Amino acid sequence: MKVNVHAVNFNVDKKLVDFTDERVNKLEKFYDKIISADVFMKVEQTSEKENKVVETKVIVPGDEFIVKKTCKSFEEGIDLSVESLERLLLKRKEKLRAHV
């Protein structure tokens, strides 16, 4: 699976890219037909502490899933979005299995 990390309006460091790759690649355990994943990270200009936005788009044959999380850190946002995507992918897998 190809994982693309996009940092909007800031420079992302190597550790964050590696962390993102590692977490997103774990999704293949739940659904093996994932084509690619795009992770967009941006910092919103607000006074709140939760200003890190992580938007994850996973493309599978015939569909795509998009999850958006706003957190205090990018790592937390990536973890939460991967957990949400796990549930979505498992749900899709069950639906496909029901039709076979």
Side-chain angles (χ1 to χ4, degrees):
M1 166 176 53
K2 177 95 176 90
V3 179
N4 301 313
V5 178
H6 308 276
V8 182
N9 297 331
F10 75 99
N11 293 327
V12 66
D13 66 333
K14 179 93 174 93
K15 283 195 300 193
L16 187 57
V17 172
D18 291 343
F19 178 83
T20 304
D21 278 346
E22 182 185 318
R23 286 292 196 271
V24 174
N25 278 316
K26 285 184 179 177
L27 289 172
E28 284 191 306
K29 291 181 188 172
F30 301 96
Y31 195 84
D32 55 352
K33 294 181 178 77
I34 298 173
I35 298 169
S36 68
D38 290 306
V39 181
F40 297 91
M41 299 180 207
K42 27 182 183 203
V43 180
E44 289 189 338
Q45 302 300 324
T46 62
S47 58
E48 296 175 32
K49 283 195 174 20
E50 291 195 357
N51 65 343
K52 313 284 190 302
V53 178
V54 176
E55 193 171 318
T56 309
K57 180 167 94 172
V58 173
I59 301 171
V60 297
D63 210 354
E64 62 183 42
F65 300 102
I66 299 173
V67 174
K68 187 175 183 178
K69 299 288 179 188
T70 305
C71 297
K72 291 179 184 167
S73 71
F74 286 119
E75 290 83 358
E76 184 185 359
I78 290 164
D79 279 339
L80 292 173
S81 60
V82 166
E83 286 173 19
S84 295
L85 284 164
E86 282 174 16
R87 289 191 295 277
L88 287 169
L89 291 169
L90 285 172
K91 203 182 289 183
R92 177 175 171 83
K93 197 173 186 179
E94 289 300 316
K95 203 182 281 185
L96 288 175
R97 204 177 279 149
H99 289 288
V100 175

